[in-house]
Amino acid sequence: MSLISAINKPLKGIVPPMVTPLNDDGSLDSASVKKLIEHLISGGVHGIFILGTTGEFSGLSYQTRRNLITQTCKQVAGRVPVLVGITDVSIEESIALAEFSVKAGAYATVVAPPFYNNIDQEELTRYYLELADEISIPLFLYNMPSHTKLTIELDTVIKLSSHERIIGLKDSSANAVYFQSLCHAFRDQPNFVLMVGPEEMMAETVLLGGYGGVCGGANLFPKLYVELYEAAVARDFEKIKSCQNIVMEISRNIYQVGQYKSSYMKGLKTSLSFMGLCQDTFAKPLSPFSESEIQQLQSRYDDVVSSLSVSA
Amino acid sequence: MSLISAINKPLKGIVPPMVTPLNDDGSLDSASVKKLIEHLISGGVHGIFILGTTGEFSGLSYQTRRNLITQTCKQVAGRVPVLVGITDVSIEESIALAEFSVKAGAYATVVAPPFYNNIDQEELTRYYLELADEISIPLFLYNMPSHTKLTIELDTVIKLSSHERIIGLKDSSANAVYFQSLCHAFRDQPNFVLMVGPEEMMAETVLLGGYGGVCGGANLFPKLYVELYEAAVARDFEKIKSCQNIVMEISRNIYQVGQYKSSYMKGLKTSLSFMGLCQDTFAKPLSPFSESEIQQLQSRYDDVVSSLSVSA
Amino acid sequence: MSLISAINKPLKGIVPPMVTPLNDDGSLDSASVKKLIEHLISGGVHGIFILGTTGEFSGLSYQTRRNLITQTCKQVAGRVPVLVGITDVSIEESIALAEFSVKAGAYATVVAPPFYNNIDQEELTRYYLELADEISIPLFLYNMPSHTKLTIELDTVIKLSSHERIIGLKDSSANAVYFQSLCHAFRDQPNFVLMVGPEEMMAETVLLGGYGGVCGGANLFPKLYVELYEAAVARDFEKIKSCQNIVMEISRNIYQVGQYKSSYMKGLKTSLSFMGLCQDTFAKPLSPFSESEIQQLQSRYDDVVSSLSVSA
Amino acid sequence: MSLISAINKPLKGIVPPMVTPLNDDGSLDSASVKKLIEHLISGGVHGIFILGTTGEFSGLSYQTRRNLITQTCKQVAGRVPVLVGITDVSIEESIALAEFSVKAGAYATVVAPPFYNNIDQEELTRYYLELADEISIPLFLYNMPSHTKLTIELDTVIKLSSHERIIGLKDSSANAVYFQSLCHAFRDQPNFVLMVGPEEMMAETVLLGGYGGVCGGANLFPKLYVELYEAAVARDFEKIKSCQNIVMEISRNIYQVGQYKSSYMKGLKTSLSFMGLCQDTFAKPLSPFSESEIQQLQSRYDDVVSSLSVSA
């Protein structure tokens, strides 16, 4: 069975942090969830990560989170591994989500540090070890200092990696020195998976030892990111250059409308609505673009789609 | 009834952010909750604030939070107003806690900004207005930038204050310029309550227009903080000096054992355990002091208690 | 002689951080320096601090700094103590400025931490001790974390205070907990001077043990700040309230035109130009307000002046 | 002449940020300057950058800076381009250093933002344009947010690049998304030079469009970094892997002795002293390692040298 085989080798490739389609009343837009999952799988992605930052996990009720876990695992049906974000400030709620994910058939969980209290590396280490002890599903560390106010330091990662259920790390810091330090420290442990969040740096990290990317833009254009990943693996620099160019156009144009701290999230989800893959409805505290911002984004989105056609 | 009258005038005085007594398994230590509440009320506090940062709200399961709301309101039985922290990253969970608090008989809610996503003031304003619209209980804003990564700016507070259910703000920034700006902006709106978190600055803000303090140390020595507050109101500088001196001794000695970012929380709860008012059990990710740290704290605690006796 | 007597008792009161009047070519506007100094002294200030942050020290050439030191000491002629900012990233340049200040007749120097490299408290301690050893003039520590990226921690201040030439600290952090910690730690050392920078919190700190303020607004209205200081010393709360109210109006209106990080500096110097006390010429990288911003400021400035007349 | 030809094509390769050898009294250790320069040039570096952060520019007196500029240009004698850091908080002092550098025969200047005042992008833009207007030598922008508290944002770089004397940027942010954004924005302007500071990420950026690195470790082992650069240009992944591995060993072992914020600087300069290339004397506020730290570093240094021999 595909799930078993997935567990027996380290995860590699493109694992989109899936956007969470929502209805106006905040409930899950199940029809869009289905469409979006099929869109991703048909694009060749190597896994699907739900309830991450891009999945707006923090703004969702627990009921909505559970609904999404259930539906995603059922819809994916073992075709690719499903990773579930269970980041929470309460370890009990994280454990409950983990156990729910096990029953739903998820492959692994992804956990950023508890993000309210300011804590030290020692406390963080103890927290992760205790969480890993309490759950019965693999766990990826999730480094996200811009949101959690602390970095999972290299020495902490090394300590945590000795736990049998801690199998890798997703780094969203954009800090290339940090990521290279990880690649170096784990150079002889090929089963410890090291992926980056920011899609702009995915190719270069794969060239230098990374395992792939949790690329938000892969919600929109999964094939593009899979191609870029494969080009990096194959060291096909002509292909890398053409794909990277479009990835950077997406970054520059889709993710930077308005001066919002959430421009990335707004641009991504609104573009997905242009494709008919979800509504431009956000979990609080985020809110939709204004009408003029939508028009600006539509025009930029059309340009990106044109580049893609030319390139393809 | 006392509750109604409390609602008819602005809240003033000492409103301790109550520590949450826990058992080793993470469940609520109900016997200690009862003892602690009686300790606070017999000390003359003007209100009790549960599920704040000092109440370790973020580390508690929702079930534990609801248990604490129920027990506190029942035990307090209208003797002082009960304020309930409903801060959360999901507005739906905040609303659910607010409605639960209404039914339990709470006086008001206290809400810090959603603390995972990085957002702008406009989004923050919309968030608070929507939350205030959805609940049926008064709401205090809670400025806590060290934990939430953003300040509720003065202009945002002014906008929000026009909502009938937004009745005040607790400021834990320690920034005296910010707090004086609030006092000045609301100088002609005596019903908008402005309190500070850090006990070290409570007296000086009351002298200059503040309404009181949400003082963590009042869990230990409620009378001391009530006396300091009353001395500030009465402009009794001799009394202010002697009380402030002990408050600063507490700050210097009880809250600074170890080099933890959580030394305040550990010192406070462990000292309460010396008094038999709770166990030194913490919600994750915090953990108890080591044996030698406990001994160091015990010695410092004894000194503070001696100063108190001399002063009394 | 007044200078000797000033040295024999701790400095207290209002010590304006004097703005540096400049000509368009960046040279010192000596005529305005003269006028400004007389304006300050006739306003009753207790000292003058040149080459601080408000004095734009960092943007001035060393020649201009020396010219200002010479002219100020000569013009003041011992009527009040002159404090000279010698903050620099190079200790050799700081020492040279200190020795120049001694010869010019300055009372003391004021030194913020070296602000380029990121350093630890131990390195900072060694730095200050070495500097104090090398100079022959008293030194005030200057805590300014928003500009220097580090706080002079309480324990560091305590260690440094044992040096005979380190005689006090100016705190511009706006953190009332930090300042109260200093007041408490030095409660039995009345010769160690503790002043705050932000004028909005000056009165409350004087009420609770502070020695006065290095108030930028005192460039404009020295009498107002002297009155507020004296009212705080005298615990005249009616007077405190009326003066504090105008100080807050200045803060709200004069220092917040535009959305610049330098709005305080631009508003202050431009208002001084309305009074004919200097030109609205700034050291790089700051630049003058636009025409419309100047008009907006003029209107606000006129309102503040009206409040002052009514109050007087 | 080599200088002319260097100017006619964009700078590429390894440009070490040269350490500044100092005597105990803070003066320039000229004998070591000579040795170090010959060590670098014989290692094949493509340029030498003096008075950067690694060159401890901020801690040096202006006289020492000028002495270093003069000696370096004379000693290098046109064999490679000399870049001079003229970063300062006073634009007049920067201009003076630039003109001094021109006369000494430097190739270009390197300028980080003025680092005391907090400023906006618009003010920063105006600052750089005015500086570039006033000097007669090319200028590299220097992005160093950890030290200067602000990022030179992409749009600012784009605006500045239209000035004829602004010819490139050195990025020390370690932010791979930022650097890829630069590479993308300037993909059709091959004369605008984009280099990274952190050596750990040099290879991956060269693979994806970067021009080379300002690698601190190249002070120690210039050949290693030149080989890594050339391997990246040649896309020789076996060579990249072996060189990158040693670079990461250096990063992990040489730069992380002690828990200092300045561990990089201390480890680098002290290791150079092991080689006899300079003394372990630092500009204030930095100070030498303790004896035990030196022993720990020596042992690690020996290991690194062994790896290098094996690899060679």
Side-chain angles (χ1 to χ4, degrees), chain D residues 24 107 129-130 145 152 157 178 197 220 238 309:
Chain D
D24 269 353
Y107 162 63
L129 290 177
E130 187 158 330
I152 313 175
V157 179
Y178 174 79
L220 289 164
E238 203 161 325
S309 322

Side-chain angles (χ1 to χ4, degrees), chain D residues 20 29 34 38 68 72 75 109 112 144 181 256 263 266 275 279 296 304:
Chain D
T20 303
D29 172 0
K34 183 175 171 181
E38 292 308 316
L68 181 64
T72 302
Q75 180 74 26
T109 58
M144 187 58 160
S181 300
Q256 292 178 33
S263 285
K266 291 187 181 198
M275 289 180 150
Q279 305 165 58
Q296 190 188 354
V304 166

Side-chain angles (χ1 to χ4, degrees), chain C residues 25-27 52-53 56-65 87-93 112 114-120 122-124 126-127 130 142 144-150 259-262 266 283-288, chain D residues 25-27 52-53 56-65 87-93 112 114-120 122-124 126-127 130 142 144-150 259-262 266 283-288:
Chain C
D25 65 359
S27 66
T53 305
E56 295 176 279
F57 82 89
S58 68
L60 304 177
S61 73
Y62 288 88
Q63 188 54 55
T64 301
R65 295 187 215 188
T87 300
D88 208 292
V89 286
S90 160
I91 198 170
E92 294 181 57
E93 301 296 349
F115 48 93
Y116 186 73
N117 285 309
N118 294 298
I119 60 173
D120 301 283
E122 203 191 328
E123 287 166 325
L124 183 62
R126 209 176 293 134
Y127 174 84
E130 189 159 328
Y142 183 0
M144 186 59 161
S146 63
H147 287 59
T148 65
K149 293 170 293 177
L150 96 167
Q259 299 281 328
Y260 303 99
K261 286 174 182 153
S262 55
K266 292 188 180 196
K284 318 284 165 206
L286 302 192
S287 50
Chain D
D25 64 359
S27 66
T53 303
E56 296 176 277
F57 82 89
S58 68
L60 305 176
S61 73
Y62 288 88
Q63 187 56 54
T64 301
R65 296 187 211 187
T87 300
D88 207 290
V89 285
S90 158
I91 199 169
E92 293 180 57
E93 301 296 347
F115 48 93
Y116 186 73
N117 286 309
N118 294 299
I119 59 172
D120 301 282
E122 202 192 330
E123 287 166 324
L124 183 62
R126 208 176 296 134
Y127 174 84
E130 187 158 330
Y142 182 1
M144 187 58 160
S146 64
H147 287 58
T148 64
K149 296 169 292 178
L150 95 167
Q259 298 282 326
Y260 304 100
K261 285 176 184 153
S262 55
K266 291 187 181 198
K284 315 286 166 205
L286 301 192
S287 50

Side-chain angles (χ1 to χ4, degrees), chain A residues 25-27 52-53 56-65 87-93 112 114-120 122-124 126-127 130 142 144-150 259-262 266 283-288, chain B residues 25-27 52-53 56-65 87-93 112 114-120 122-124 126-127 130 142 144-150 259-262 266 283-288:
Chain A
D25 64 359
S27 67
T53 304
E56 294 175 279
F57 81 90
S58 69
L60 304 177
S61 72
Y62 287 88
Q63 187 56 54
T64 300
R65 295 187 213 187
T87 301
D88 207 291
V89 285
S90 159
I91 198 170
E92 294 180 57
E93 302 296 348
F115 48 93
Y116 186 73
N117 285 308
N118 294 298
I119 59 173
D120 301 283
E122 201 192 329
E123 288 167 323
L124 183 62
R126 207 176 297 133
Y127 174 86
E130 188 159 329
Y142 182 1
M144 186 59 160
S146 63
H147 286 59
T148 65
K149 294 169 291 178
L150 96 169
Q259 298 281 327
Y260 304 100
K261 286 176 182 151
S262 55
K266 291 188 180 197
K284 316 287 164 202
L286 302 192
S287 51
Chain B
D25 64 359
S27 66
T53 304
E56 296 177 276
F57 82 89
S58 68
L60 305 177
S61 73
Y62 287 88
Q63 186 56 53
T64 300
R65 295 187 213 186
T87 301
D88 208 292
V89 285
S90 159
I91 198 169
E92 294 181 56
E93 301 296 349
F115 47 93
Y116 186 72
N117 285 309
N118 294 299
I119 59 172
D120 302 281
E122 201 192 331
E123 288 166 324
L124 183 62
R126 208 176 294 134
Y127 174 85
E130 186 158 330
Y142 183 0
M144 185 60 161
S146 63
H147 287 60
T148 64
K149 294 170 292 178
L150 95 167
Q259 299 280 330
Y260 305 99
K261 285 176 184 153
S262 55
K266 292 188 181 198
K284 314 285 166 208
L286 301 193
S287 51

Side-chain angles (χ1 to χ4, degrees), chain D:
Chain D
M1 201 191 99
S2 63
L3 250 178
I4 301 296
S5 63
I7 293 172
N8 287 341
K9 59 185 180 190
L11 183 63
K12 294 194 174 185
I14 300 300
V15 182
M18 195 174 89
V19 156
T20 303
L22 294 172
N23 293 315
D24 269 353
D25 64 359
S27 66
L28 198 63
D29 172 0
S30 296
S32 293
V33 171
K34 183 175 171 181
K35 270 191 287 184
L36 185 52
I37 288 172
E38 292 308 316
H39 173 67
L40 296 177
I41 292 180
S42 72
V45 303
H46 306 86
I48 290 179
F49 167 38
I50 58 171
L51 294 174
T53 303
T54 299
E56 296 176 277
F57 82 89
S58 68
L60 305 176
S61 73
Y62 288 88
Q63 187 56 54
T64 301
R65 296 187 211 187
R66 287 191 295 266
N67 291 347
L68 181 64
I69 295 168
T70 302
Q71 189 187 349
T72 302
C73 289
K74 200 170 161 191
Q75 180 74 26
V76 170
R79 289 177 288 175
V80 295
V82 173
L83 286 71
V84 180
I86 60 164
T87 300
D88 207 290
V89 285
S90 158
I91 199 169
E92 293 180 57
E93 301 296 347
S94 286
I95 292 168
L97 281 173
E99 292 319 293
F100 191 89
S101 302
V102 170
K103 283 172 197 150
Y107 162 63
T109 58
V110 182
V111 190
F115 48 93
Y116 186 73
N117 286 309
N118 294 299
I119 59 172
D120 301 282
Q121 295 294 312
E122 202 192 330
E123 287 166 324
L124 183 62
T125 304
R126 208 176 296 134
Y127 174 84
Y128 269 122
L129 290 177
E130 187 158 330
L131 178 58
D133 277 349
E134 295 282 336
I135 65 180
S136 55
I137 182 173
L139 183 163
F140 284 87
L141 306 172
Y142 182 1
N143 189 48
M144 187 58 160
S146 64
H147 287 58
T148 64
K149 296 169 292 178
L150 95 167
T151 292
I152 313 175
E153 290 178 7
L154 175 61
D155 288 339
T156 301
V157 179
I158 291 172
K159 272 180 216 152
L160 293 174
S161 69
S162 65
H163 194 289
E164 60 175 342
R165 267 190 294 285
I166 298 180
I167 64 170
L169 178 142
K170 176 203 168 185
D171 175 33
S172 289
S173 71
N175 187 316
V177 173
Y178 174 79
F179 194 74
Q180 279 304 315
S181 300
L182 288 168
C183 289
H184 180 66
F186 289 96
R187 66 196 180 283
D188 298 326
Q189 289 163 258
N191 286 322
F192 196 78
V193 174
L194 295 168
M195 288 201 174
V196 287
E199 57 208 67
E200 298 88 345
M201 71 189 290
M202 186 268 290
E204 70 187 89
T205 55
V206 169
L207 284 168
L208 263 280
Y211 287 58
V214 183
C215 308
N219 281 280
L220 289 164
F221 310 114
K223 268 184 203 158
L224 170 68
Y225 292 82
V226 169
E227 279 179 26
L228 178 55
Y229 166 74
E230 288 172 350
V233 170
R235 295 171 186 166
D236 175 346
F237 279 86
E238 203 161 325
K239 188 79 184 162
I240 290 173
K241 193 180 171 182
S242 67
C243 291
Q244 174 77 3
N245 191 44
I246 303 175
V247 166
M248 294 311 300
E249 285 293 306
I250 293 167
S251 171
R252 176 78 169 156
N253 291 295
I254 304 293
Y255 301 160
Q256 292 178 33
V257 169
Q259 298 282 326
Y260 304 100
K261 285 176 184 153
S262 55
S263 285
Y264 155 75
M265 194 61 223
K266 291 187 181 198
L268 176 60
K269 203 166 195 178
T270 308
S271 294
L272 281 166
S273 78
F274 297 157
M275 289 180 150
L277 289 171
C278 68
Q279 305 165 58
D280 64 338
T281 304
F282 297 86
K284 315 286 166 205
L286 301 192
S287 50
F289 275 138
S290 69
E291 201 47 56
S292 71
E293 288 165 336
I294 290 175
Q295 281 172 25
Q296 190 188 354
L297 179 67
Q298 178 81 61
S299 157
R300 292 178 175 202
Y301 170 80
D302 292 345
D303 288 351
V304 166
V305 170
S306 301
S307 318
L308 266 170
S309 322
V310 168
S311 146

